[in-house]
Amino acid sequence: MIRHAKISEIDHILTITKACALKMQSNGIFQWNENYPNKAAFINDLDRNELYVKEHEGSVVGAIVVSTFMDEEYVPIEWLTPNGNSTYIHRLCVDPACQGKGFAQELMDFAEEHSKAKGFVSVRLDTFSQNKRNQRFYEQRGYQKLGDIFFPKQSEHPFHCYELVL
């Protein structure tokens, strides 16, 4: 089941993102760190009613943000569709103990179906240039790589922007 997150679940979601960060770091991928993702970001997502969780056997095993807010870092990208009618995926995570069971695919299916049902024309996101697994994940779903942006607090390496036209 995928549903809106509750304020009481933020700390658990942060535990999942920290576990994901450690797993990525053990694979040489320094995408998430002590600065990101953080509690303030998730509280803002919750306040905007854009934070969703995947529940499995009574426990939260993953989360995703489906936002209508376009970060200023995205402005220079030449998107496939005009700005103003897209959703943005952020902070997709699945507990490493539960990875490989299709939960990330379910969260993305949800995000895409939710966006389409609300009349949005595309879904946009970014993923770390050093995270080849994530790039394959999105490309296999039909996302097109468009350009690079930078988040200096996270890494000196770029983040690739992707878009899926619905």
Side-chain angles (χ1 to χ4, degrees):
M1 174 172 74
I2 297 173
R3 59 167 173 76
H4 278 104
K6 302 172 190 160
I7 189 76
S8 60
E9 295 168 326
I10 299 278
D11 286 339
H12 182 65
I13 294 167
L14 283 166
T15 299
I16 292 171
T17 61
K18 283 182 175 71
C20 289
L22 289 171
K23 182 174 182 182
M24 286 187 284
Q25 289 165 11
S26 74
N27 291 317
I29 301 166
F30 296 90
Q31 178 174 342
W32 286 355
N33 57 35
E34 65 279 356
N35 298 313
Y36 183 89
N38 57 48
K39 191 170 194 168
F42 283 120
I43 289 172
N44 185 53
D45 299 333
L46 194 78
D47 289 346
R48 291 175 54 89
N49 219 25
E50 297 178 337
L51 177 59
Y52 298 88
V53 293
K54 165 69 181 164
E55 219 179 89
H56 179 70
E57 296 177 352
S59 296
V60 170
V61 296
I64 191 169
V65 175
V66 185
S67 180
T68 57
F69 179 76
M70 180 174 166
D71 291 312
E72 64 184 55
E73 288 87 355
Y74 289 155
V75 172
I77 299 299
E78 291 197 27
W79 297 101
L80 301 170
T81 61
N83 291 336
N85 198 18
S86 300
T87 56
Y88 298 85
I89 303 301
H90 297 294
R91 295 177 277 292
L92 171 62
C93 61
V94 173
D95 186 329
C98 300
Q99 289 177 4
K101 298 180 180 179
F103 296 149
Q105 297 281 9
E106 284 181 45
L107 285 160
M108 286 304 298
D109 288 345
F110 167 82
E112 292 161 9
E113 289 162 16
H114 172 80
S115 299
K116 195 171 191 173
K118 297 274 186 188
F120 291 97
V121 297
S122 74
V123 177
R124 298 171 175 179
L125 54 87
D126 66 78
T127 194
F128 192 41
S129 60
Q130 306 301 296
N131 193 334
K132 304 296 184 202
R133 183 174 173 226
N134 275 12
Q135 291 168 50
R136 279 193 306 276
F137 175 78
Y138 294 119
E139 288 165 9
Q140 287 170 350
R141 296 186 66 84
Y143 284 77
Q144 292 184 55
K145 187 174 7 174
L146 301 172
D148 289 346
I149 58 174
F150 290 86
F151 294 105
K153 285 185 181 173
Q154 284 178 256
S155 177
E156 65 196 33
H157 298 289
F159 287 73
H160 299 321
C161 290
Y162 285 86
E163 185 171 20
L164 176 71
V165 178
L166 299 172

